[in-house]
Amino acid sequence: MMRRTAAALGATIMLSACAWSDAGLPASADETTEDARGSDVILNMFQWSWTSVAEECGSTIGPAGFGYVQVSPPQEEIQGTEWWTSYQPVSYRIEGKMGTREEFAEMVQKCDEAGVGVIADAVINHTTGADQGAGTGTAGSSYALDDFPGIYGPEHFNDCREDISDYTDRDNVQNCRLSSLQDLATGSEEVQDTLAAYMNDLLDMGVEGFRIDAAKHMPAEDLAAIKSKLSDPDVYWVQEVIGAAGEPIQPSEYTGTGDVHEFDYGRQLKSAFGGSIAGLDSIAEGKLDSEDAGVFVDNHDTERNGETLNYKDGDTYTLANDFMLAYDYGRPSVYTGYTFEDTDAGAPGSTATEVGDASCGAEEWTCTQRLPEIQGMVSFHNAVAGTEVTDWWDDGDNNIAFGRGEKGFAALNNTEGEVTNTYRSSLPAGTYCNMAAGTDCTETVTVAEGGSFEAVVPAKGAVAIDVEHMAGPATAAR
């Protein structure tokens, strides 16, 4: 966390009002794949209220093929309009700015009915900022320095009462305060029991996973001990470990208990899409193994600190998400939040104790999950799951293309003008829906015998075709 602070020629792409084959329908969870939900794609819904998430699961997220939503921390927090107040726990009551316990439970149920699991952002490294002094949380619980009645006293915090000052010192990073936040003694069994009880409460309510905030600031063995105390010790979780060269604490330390966010992935996407994308075929090099990596174009921290692309990058941002969903590396997380100029600002309409419902009809909410390109690429991602990248091609600059075995093929154009090119794929002949244009099959590509096809790839856009979304046989191919 941070505080305060994407040969023979076939026919070109053509507009059509084609009908979908049965293969174009969303697969049920029983019919798919390696993931229990039929999709490993997470939608990170930053600062969305529980009622808004519940409604969006049924109307958009489930039908679009996302497997999971990641929601903001559900515990009681300090009062304030800033977004970072959600990351300062006062108690583990499920009564916070996003909604009530009853609304949280209803959200989990409604998302489940839509085929979507809920991943909760878990803040277990610390409590409130020491600089906040005493106060009352969003559910009415009182707190003070080293004093959280009925939960924690002075003995439950690490002895270091200073802010972290040296990131080359493991003890300093894991036992002192992150930006003044009171650092829990996660090596204490009593603290572990308290945290496990909170997480077990969420599991009992139907939560299917956790994002572990500030994991770098807790020893990996402490997290392993907490996870062993959960009612489902094999539950999915992904850990926030911001790696940096030369530091003693590295993301690879944490893969024993679950996925770890690969921050260098998002950083490399920003660099590539701001320059040349031809080298993205090596994006996995020097990073966590794919099966251990949680990847994203941006999250709530990196969109604010400039570390990655964000919604302000427009079509480039969307195209980077297209790449993430098309390429075979890591477990992808698409981000949706709200617009901002002030990096501290909470969600639109926030009060000190409540976040208002999100509205995709309002310009303030980015609603990335509703973009036709994103929905189409989620479907593409799900269709090609389990295949490796094949048939890589690039022009040495800003046009790339690659296959996903015999299941799919994608071409991306990171320039300001459309590009017409002939591609060689491993796909069978046929007419395919361009999923990078959306799920309604308004654009098609015809692949000839032998796998070649010609396509017009739009400026700052993509073409993505797969065998589960075919419009018909290759009537025009020769």
Side-chain angles (χ1 to χ4, degrees):
M1 70 162 287
M2 278 178 45
R3 185 162 171 253
R4 300 193 179 92
T5 52
L9 299 181
T12 59
I13 290 183
M14 52 192 167
L15 295 178
S16 69
C18 61
W20 286 58
S21 68
D22 288 343
L25 297 174
S28 71
D30 292 334
E31 293 174 335
T32 46
T33 67
E34 32 193 66
D35 192 275
R37 283 287 175 181
S39 173
D40 66 349
V41 183
I42 299 167
L43 178 64
N44 179 1
M45 306 186 75
F46 182 63
Q47 296 286 285
W48 278 59
S49 69
W50 309 149
T51 55
S52 296
V53 174
E55 182 177 352
E56 194 75 358
C57 272
S59 68
T60 303
I61 300 166
F66 289 92
Y68 302 86
V69 291
Q70 178 186 309
V71 299
S72 290
Q75 86 293 313
E76 180 182 12
E77 65 268 77
I78 66 171
Q79 296 188 31
T81 60
E82 300 88 351
W83 64 265
W84 43 260
T85 58
S86 293
Y87 290 83
Q88 297 197 30
V90 170
S91 80
Y92 300 116
R93 297 170 60 187
I94 313 303
E95 301 284 345
K97 291 197 297 182
M98 305 303 147
T100 66
R101 183 181 182 89
E102 291 72 22
E103 288 168 338
F104 185 88
E106 185 175 7
M107 172 194 70
V108 173
Q109 179 182 346
K110 287 188 174 181
C111 287
D112 179 64
E113 290 170 355
V116 180
V118 172
I119 295 172
D121 200 347
V123 185
I124 60 174
N125 171 69
H126 55 261
T127 58
T128 64
D131 57 348
Q132 298 292 320
T136 303
T138 52
S141 301
S142 62
Y143 64 92
L145 191 64
D146 288 343
D147 184 17
F148 296 80
I151 309 173
Y152 297 129
E155 70 276 16
H156 297 119
F157 295 91
N158 283 320
D159 292 338
C160 179
R161 295 298 201 266
E162 304 296 327
D163 283 4
I164 296 168
S165 59
D166 183 1
Y167 274 81
T168 67
D169 183 325
R170 179 184 293 270
D171 182 75
N172 190 259
V173 173
Q174 295 185 330
N175 293 298
C176 295
R177 292 171 174 168
L178 172 63
S179 299
S180 188
L181 297 164
Q182 298 179 73
D183 198 62
L184 286 167
T186 52
S188 157
E189 187 161 3
E190 190 172 351
V191 171
Q192 292 173 4
D193 288 342
T194 299
L195 296 172
Y198 162 57
M199 298 172 82
N200 280 331
D201 185 27
L202 293 172
L203 289 174
D204 289 344
M205 296 175 74
V207 164
E208 296 184 18
F210 300 98
R211 180 249 183 196
I212 307 300
D213 180 69
K216 177 179 181 175
H217 300 280
M218 295 171 278
E221 58 267 27
D222 291 1
L223 289 175
I226 293 166
K227 196 174 189 187
S228 73
K229 295 173 182 288
L230 299 185
S231 56
D232 179 6
D234 296 320
V235 67
Y236 175 79
W237 70 13
V238 59
Q239 300 156 98
E240 183 198 26
V241 184
I242 306 174
E247 290 187 2
I249 303 168
Q250 291 297 314
S252 57
E253 296 178 29
Y254 293 81
T255 58
T257 57
D259 284 359
V260 180
H261 277 310
E262 181 53 89
F263 278 78
D264 277 343
Y265 182 87
R267 295 166 184 151
Q268 188 169 344
L269 288 184
K270 179 177 181 178
S271 175
F273 280 92
S276 168
I277 63 174
L280 287 177
D281 58 329
S282 62
I283 194 167
E285 294 180 6
K287 297 181 178 63
L288 294 166
D289 291 342
S290 181
E291 61 268 25
D292 297 324
V295 297
F296 51 82
V297 176
D298 62 334
N299 68 17
H300 68 275
D301 284 332
T302 68
E303 72 163 350
R304 286 169 169 77
N305 67 15
E307 194 173 357
T308 61
L309 296 167
N310 66 25
Y311 75 91
K312 297 181 182 184
D313 293 296
D315 291 341
T316 301
Y317 174 71
T318 303
L319 189 60
N321 275 280
D322 290 347
F323 174 83
M324 176 180 70
L325 292 167
Y327 198 78
D328 179 32
Y329 178 74
R331 185 181 185 116
S333 179
V334 176
Y335 177 79
T336 185
Y338 53 90
T339 64
F340 61 88
E341 293 302 328
D342 176 1
T343 57
D344 287 344
S350 295
T351 70
T353 58
E354 184 177 3
V355 168
D357 290 339
S359 173
C360 286
E363 292 182 358
E364 292 88 354
W365 294 89
T366 60
C367 294
T368 312
Q369 73 278 6
R370 292 200 179 186
L371 294 176
E373 303 96 313
I374 297 299
Q375 292 190 6
M377 291 307 297
V378 169
S379 292
F380 175 88
H381 174 90
N382 295 340
V384 301
T387 63
E388 296 181 349
V389 171
T390 57
D391 303 312
W392 178 275
W393 170 89
D394 64 71
D395 67 352
D397 194 9
N398 272 303
N399 277 272
I400 62 174
F402 52 90
R404 294 298 301 272
E406 297 179 351
K407 286 190 175 182
F409 195 90
L412 285 77
N413 173 19
N414 187 40
T415 75
E416 299 295 339
E418 67 179 31
V419 172
T420 302
N421 201 12
T422 300
Y423 302 97
R424 293 185 180 276
S425 76
S426 299
L427 296 176
T431 303
Y432 294 77
C433 302
N434 176 20
M435 302 307 291
T439 59
D440 55 2
C441 201
T442 56
E443 296 183 6
T444 62
V445 173
T446 299
V447 176
E449 294 291 343
S452 67
F453 65 94
E454 185 180 81
V456 180
V457 188
K460 292 288 184 178
V463 169
I465 56 178
D466 67 78
V467 294
E468 288 194 11
H469 301 103
M470 295 183 69
T475 55
R478 293 293 185 269

